[in-house]
Amino acid sequence: MKALEEKILREGAVLPGQVLKVGSFLNQQVDVEFLLEMGKEIARLFADAHVTKILTIESSGIAIAFAAAVAMHIPFVFAKKNKSANVSGEVLQTKIHSYTHGTDYTAVIGKEFLSENDRVLLVDDFLANGAALEGLVEIVKKAGAVCAGAAVAIEKGFQRGGDALRKKGIRVESLAIVEEMGENSLTFRR
Ligand code: 5GP
């Protein structure tokens, strides 16, 4: 998505640890109109996939998942990090290693929000080593649902997650794929 690449070049900053900061439109402040455009692009890419529900993880995935859900006219569910008092009853959960915090957490959803009749599209803001999406795949499996694919705003193509998921047969669509990034340079995969 050309407009996303241009926005990353204009507003993004590369932090130590190969972290791309896009707090001005995706990770802290949310550019609502722009995210709705990203949501439409995700809907276009998965128009033939018969998706019934979107699954993401709090908190950074929520805005982009919301935008995709609006465009696809379906609900989205966000997994909570660590079981909180307001996830009650039977749950589906899995352990995930956090790229940005370097620690493990448990992602949890109430069992009633996914069923074996669902075709689930995973959505997240970033794809790095793939732990977040692998965790969501695990939750989809535990629900007996089908994973229709994964859509991410920004894939860091120089990290292993995207290719590993694709090798497993999961359809991964990224709106922008960063090929290489350094303090003063950033290029996209063509
Ligand atoms: P993974 O699980 O694929 O290694 O990392 C993806 C998760 O870590 C995403 O949910 C995202 O929140 C966070 N993340 C990974 N890399 C970056 C990055 O470069 N920038 C930001 N803002 N978040 C990242």
Side-chain angles (χ1 to χ4, degrees):
M1 192 179 169
K2 191 85 187 138
L4 176 58
E5 293 184 355
E6 288 168 357
K7 209 164 169 69
I8 293 168
L9 289 176
R10 269 198 316 273
E11 299 179 25
V14 179
L15 303 184
Q18 300 279 40
V19 171
L20 176 60
K21 194 178 163 207
V22 285
S24 65
F25 67 96
L26 182 61
N27 286 143
Q28 190 156 29
Q29 173 169 261
V30 175
D31 183 334
V32 178
E33 297 295 336
F34 192 73
L35 257 76
L36 289 173
E37 289 306 310
M38 290 205 275
K40 281 184 202 158
E41 181 62 8
I42 291 172
R44 189 186 67 77
L45 289 166
F46 284 92
D48 59 352
H50 306 288
V51 178
T52 62
K53 229 168 235 193
I54 286 171
L55 178 63
T56 190
I57 309 189
E58 68 175 0
S59 54
S60 296
I62 291 178
I64 179 84
F66 180 95
V70 168
M72 297 173 93
H73 305 283
I74 53 175
F76 81 98
V77 177
F78 61 93
K80 294 189 177 248
K81 287 181 178 167
N82 302 312
K83 190 175 172 180
S84 52
N86 55 1
V87 182
S88 56
E90 280 194 86
V91 296
L92 302 170
Q93 62 185 48
T94 190
K95 203 156 99 176
I96 294 177
H97 183 75
S98 165
Y99 182 89
T100 39
H101 296 106
T103 50
D104 290 350
Y105 63 90
T106 304
V108 188
I109 69 164
K111 199 170 187 290
E112 70 269 36
F113 298 121
L114 282 186
S115 81
E116 61 260 22
N117 300 320
D118 280 314
R119 287 182 57 82
V120 183
L121 177 63
L122 311 178
V123 172
D124 206 1
D125 59 340
F126 272 89
L127 172 54
N129 290 325
L133 290 181
E134 304 255 9
L136 293 181
V137 168
E138 196 56 36
I139 286 181
V140 170
K141 272 194 196 144
K142 285 181 177 175
V146 172
C147 178
V152 298
I154 304 169
E155 174 177 344
K156 292 185 289 181
F158 53 90
Q159 293 176 326
R160 54 171 288 281
D163 293 337
L165 286 159
R166 291 182 184 100
K167 270 197 197 123
K168 285 185 181 170
I170 294 170
R171 178 179 169 196
V172 180
E173 301 280 0
S174 305
L175 302 186
I177 304 182
V178 177
E179 187 65 65
E180 163 287 317
M181 66 186 200
E183 219 179 306
N184 297 309
S185 68
L186 195 150
T187 55
F188 295 100
R189 188 177 290 176
R190 293 281 162 235

